[in-house]
């Protein structure tokens, strides 16, 4: 998972690449790479926002600044999407914007599944690494405490 600033930069770059290619008259079928980058970055941005919103630390700390930053990032992404829509309506072929949205939705769904799987695996790895260490440390403390108590007799 990449950080939100990198994801936002990737959305901006992919949006620019798609709009310049459409202005140049290229067809949607030749834009597979930029579309995939756009969808992947947007999925990263959305997944990071939901994961951050549901995290324990965001509930414990004041998250006003992070919320403000996220709001303005979302506003800029919405503005980029509207700009792309206008470019497609002006320069693109009929139905091209709808096909692009369908492809982006498909790529976004695939990326979201991948991110959820990676997050779940990372959480499992952390749990199965930290849990045994805590159990071993707890057993060692109990052992030494019992040994200490036996030594007092």
């Amino acid at each position: 998972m990449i950080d939100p600033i990198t994801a936002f930069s990737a959305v901006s770059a992919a949006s620019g690449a798609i709009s310049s290619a459409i202005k140049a008259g290229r067809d949607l079928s030749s834009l597979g790479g930029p579309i995939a980058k756009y969808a992947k970055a947007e999925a990263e941005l959305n997944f990071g926002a939901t994961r951050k919103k549901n995290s324990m630390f965001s509930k414990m700390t004041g998250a006003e600044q992070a919320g403000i930053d996220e709001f303005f990032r979302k506003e800029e992404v919405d503005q980029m999407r509207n700009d792309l829509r206008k470019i497609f309506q002006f320069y693109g072929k009929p139905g091209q914007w709808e096909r692009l949205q369908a492809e982006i939705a498909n790529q976004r769904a695939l990326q979201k599944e991948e991110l959820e799987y990676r997050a779940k695996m990372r959480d499992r790895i952390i749990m199965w690494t930290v849990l045994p260490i805590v159990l071993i440390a707890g057993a060692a403390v109990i052992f030494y405490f019992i040994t200490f108590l036996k030594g007092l007799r």
Side-chain angles (χ1 to χ4, degrees), residues 2 5-15 37-38 41:
I2 60 176
I5 294 172
T6 307
F8 179 73
S9 299
V11 167
S12 299
S15 174
K37 287 179 185 176
Y38 181 90

Side-chain angles (χ1 to χ4, degrees), residues 73-129:
R73 263 192 245 109
K74 283 184 179 179
E75 287 293 316
E76 286 191 52
V77 168
D78 288 343
Q79 181 63 39
M80 280 186 261
R81 190 177 299 119
N82 285 336
D83 292 344
L84 270 176
R85 182 180 52 80
K86 289 175 186 175
I87 288 169
F88 270 83
Q89 288 174 343
F90 189 68
Y91 293 104
K93 297 174 183 164
Q96 201 170 26
W97 174 250
E98 290 78 17
R99 291 194 313 267
L100 174 68
Q101 289 304 303
E103 181 61 31
I104 287 174
N106 182 35
Q107 290 291 327
R108 193 181 306 131
L110 292 172
Q111 183 65 23
K112 183 180 177 188
E113 288 175 13
E114 176 68 24
L115 290 171
E116 287 173 350
Y117 175 76
R118 286 183 183 178
K120 190 184 298 182
M121 291 306 294
R122 189 187 71 233
D123 292 345
R124 284 182 183 167
I125 289 170
I126 290 171
M127 184 184 74
W128 287 108
T129 304

Side-chain angles (χ1 to χ4, degrees), residues 51-61:
R51 186 152 174 92
K52 189 175 184 181
K53 186 180 357 175
N54 295 333
S55 75
M56 178 178 65
F57 295 115
S58 69
K59 293 175 182 159
M60 291 173 42
T61 61

